[in-house]
């Protein structure tokens, strides 16, 4: 049963017992829950998880973030995925897609190479995975289909 059906059922039960209370749906919340259900489907879930890995890795490592910011002054910041804000996964994916060319230039730049050289252990593996995701044309094709 979907969340909207559950809300309607609860509303009906409550309105029978307390008729003077009215029920309204918060539109942003409803859209957020709907998008959450859509993005939980397998093709979207994989795409969103890859985008989160890219954005989180770059934002969580000072050297990679500095290399990203050094590309151009007009580079937009990568938006971090949030847990409780409206449609953050979609917005994060949309911003990453807008920055695709910058991200692709980043992972082949000297700044990226020197940043990755300073990493140790597990972070080097994550950097390699992030680079593969960013250079994967099918990832950006799927992101374009979702965002545009």
């Amino acid at each position: 049963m979907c969340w909207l059906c559950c809300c309607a059922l609860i509303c009906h039960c409550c309105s029978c017992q307390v008729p003077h209370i009215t029920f309204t749906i918060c539109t942003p919340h409803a859209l957020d829950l709907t998008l959450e259900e859509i993005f939980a489907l397998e093709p979207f879930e994989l795409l969103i998880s890859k985008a989160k890995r890219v954005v989180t890795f770059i934002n969580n490592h000072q050297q990679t973030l500095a290399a990203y910011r050094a590309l151009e002054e007009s580079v937009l910041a990568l938006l971090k995925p949030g847990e409780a804000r409206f449609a953050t996964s979609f917005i994060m994916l949309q911003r990453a897609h807008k920055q695709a060319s910058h991200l692709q230039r980043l992972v082949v730049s000297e700044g990226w190479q020197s940043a990755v050289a300073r990493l140790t252990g597990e972070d080097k593996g994550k950097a390699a995975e992030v680079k593969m995701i960013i250079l994967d044309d099918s990832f950006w094709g799927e992101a374009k289909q979702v965002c545009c």
Side-chain angles (χ1 to χ4, degrees), residues 3 31-45 48 146:
W3 63 269
L31 286 172
D32 189 39
L33 290 173
T34 303
L35 284 174
E36 195 175 290
E37 285 182 9
I38 291 170
F39 286 146
L41 299 173
E42 192 172 320
F44 296 113
E45 186 177 32
I48 294 295
V146 171

Side-chain angles (χ1 to χ4, degrees), residues 38-68:
I38 291 170
F39 286 146
L41 299 173
E42 192 172 320
F44 296 113
E45 186 177 32
L46 182 61
L47 180 67
I48 294 295
S49 74
K50 284 181 178 180
K52 282 183 181 179
R53 275 183 267 164
V54 168
V55 170
T56 302
F57 182 84
I58 291 171
N59 282 323
N60 285 350
H61 295 85
Q62 284 184 339
Q63 292 90 5
T64 57
L65 187 58
Y68 174 73

Side-chain angles (χ1 to χ4, degrees), residues 113-143:
Q113 301 306 324
S114 65
V116 170
R118 294 181 195 143
L119 298 174
T120 58
E122 191 178 303
D123 285 341
K124 280 197 184 245
K126 288 181 182 178
E129 180 185 11
V130 165
K131 183 176 180 176
M132 284 177 45
I133 292 170
I134 290 172
L135 295 177
D136 182 12
D137 288 336
S138 66
F139 170 74
W140 295 114
E142 291 172 22

